[in-house]
Amino acid sequence: MTASTTRRTTAARSRTAAVGAIAVAGALLLTGCGDQTDSSGSGSDNTSTVAAPLADKLPASIRDKGVIKVGSDIAYAPVEFKDDSGKVVGIDPDLAAAMGKQLGVTFEFENGTFDTLITGLRSKRYDIAMSAMTDTKDRQEGIDSETGKKVGEGVDFVDYFTAGVSIYTKKGDDQGITTWSDLCGKKIVLQRGTVSEDLAKAEAEKCPKDKKLSIEAFDNDQQAQTRLRAGGADAGSSDFPVAAYAVKTSGGGNDFQLVGEQVEAAPYGIAVSKENAELRDAVKAALDAVIANGEYQKVLEKWGVTEGAVTEATINGGK
């Protein structure tokens, strides 16, 4: 999932330098669902807290359960999605599994729509949210990016990746679009509550009255891709890793093409309640450990996203 709150922003979605052209690898089909009832486990398989070097950093309640509940919109390949067998796969699940080995717990992913994940943290449905969520000041402070009003206590982030936002069109039919300003007079599809939606709304305000930008938002990115594929729009937008993965895999690489450069590069963060600083710090320690031992790099290489790598975990690095 940048303008107001994230790639995948809070009211939106939308994830220390700008990300370069990522060569997205893998040929897994885009699958997944956006309901809030399915849950799938992913993480360290039966890892013993005794053997885990960072287990003592966890809150006792989580250490005793042996599980960290993760809220995630599992329809955002290659960051998190379901493969043909229904298994939760992607960058986030792989990193969670590596961190689970350090902490001696299983990261258990539960599917939910993106714009409800922070609410799920507040209600304690999830312990963390890990879902290509961009770390922004608005989210940290609980500010609605559209109204500027405070709507919650905010969350803390452990930043672990950097990504920008991209525009894509049907392959061979770019509609003359190379920048966001070229969208005036056209229709764009995207995921609701994402930075892509923020950027589109901001651009729509700049368009002349006779060249209105039409925006159609969906619950998940795959629905937006389906509409564009069917000719129901001129362009789509999502985080660069997601857009590039769709270009690589959809229709065997024959459905879409990227246009222009990615914009609004910003960090993806793992969201944790401000009431749970101990868990936040444990997650940061685990992430730093997998960066140091090379597991982090292996995960990014596996998914072809190494240019979004960070050299250390950062707390609340978003601006």
Side-chain angles (χ1 to χ4, degrees), residues 17 33 76 109 119 149 168 179 184 189 222 258 264 273 294 312:
C33 58
Y76 212 60
F109 280 69
T119 302
K149 295 181 179 179
Y168 59 98
T179 67
C184 292
V189 289
Q222 292 170 11
L258 291 171
E264 299 286 342
S273 168
E312 64 178 350

Side-chain angles (χ1 to χ4, degrees), residues 244-307:
Y245 188 84
V247 167
K248 178 77 173 180
T249 62
S250 182
N254 294 315
D255 287 344
F256 305 126
Q257 66 183 49
L258 291 171
V259 295
E261 301 294 327
Q262 60 178 307
V263 299
E264 299 286 342
Y268 282 177
I270 301 168
V272 187
S273 168
K274 287 188 178 293
E275 299 176 354
N276 209 340
E278 189 176 7
L279 175 59
R280 177 201 67 198
D281 293 345
V283 169
K284 180 185 184 303
L287 184 57
D288 279 331
V290 300
I291 291 173
N293 70 15
E295 288 298 313
Y296 175 83
Q297 185 69 16
K298 289 179 181 178
V299 170
L300 300 196
E301 287 175 355
K302 173 182 175 180
W303 295 103
V305 294
T306 55
E307 293 192 41

Side-chain angles (χ1 to χ4, degrees), residues 42-67:
S42 180
S44 54
D45 298 330
N46 299 319
T47 303
S48 168
T49 56
V50 177
L54 299 177
D56 61 351
K57 290 187 174 294
L58 284 168
S61 59
I62 289 180
R63 189 167 62 247
D64 292 344
K65 288 187 301 182
V67 171

Side-chain angles (χ1 to χ4, degrees), residues 20-102:
I22 299 173
V24 175
L28 292 170
L29 295 175
L30 291 170
T31 57
C33 58
D35 65 89
Q36 299 186 54
T37 56
D38 291 349
S39 65
S40 300
S42 180
S44 54
D45 298 330
N46 299 319
T47 303
S48 168
T49 56
V50 177
L54 299 177
D56 61 351
K57 290 187 174 294
L58 284 168
S61 59
I62 289 180
R63 189 167 62 247
D64 292 344
K65 288 187 301 182
V67 171
I68 291 177
K69 293 184 178 180
V70 184
S72 187
D73 183 352
I74 308 172
Y76 212 60
V79 187
E80 56 266 314
F81 63 111
K82 293 183 180 180
D83 65 14
D84 288 339
S85 70
K87 180 182 178 182
V88 179
V89 297
I91 300 165
D92 283 355
D94 283 354
L95 289 177
M99 289 189 292
K101 294 175 184 177
Q102 297 294 319

